[in-house]
Amino acid sequence: GLGVSLVNRDPNSELTVDVEVAGGDRATSARLRTLSGDDKDAYNDVERPRSVQVTDQTLPVESDGSVRLILPPHSVSVLSLA
């Protein structure tokens, strides 16, 4: 498998990314784990324990092996391809 780390540094806008790996076997499955919050200043504490969370998604892989991602504003993600 292959892992790719992605960062959307824009504090206000989503980022659409198309990932296509050249060479080797085409991916047949894709999993995206993303760490993000409601805004760039979000943090977790006792009163707001879930302001920043990790989401886990299974994404469709196109017939050419590419994957389209939508990264939330101000987020860090890891894409796992297999």
Side-chain angles (χ1 to χ4, degrees), residues 36-58:
S36 66
D38 294 336
D39 64 60
K40 68 177 184 65
D41 296 319
Y43 60 92
N44 292 348
D45 64 13
V46 175
E47 294 175 10
R48 296 175 300 272
R50 297 181 191 263
S51 292
V52 178
Q53 295 188 61
V54 174
T55 58
D56 195 353
Q57 303 174 31
T58 300

Side-chain angles (χ1 to χ4, degrees), residues 9 15-16 21 24-25 29 36 41 43 48-49 71 76 81-82:
R9 293 178 55 190
L15 179 64
T16 301
V21 179
D25 295 331
S29 67
S36 66
D41 296 319
Y43 60 92
R48 296 175 300 272
L71 305 177
V76 177
L81 300 170

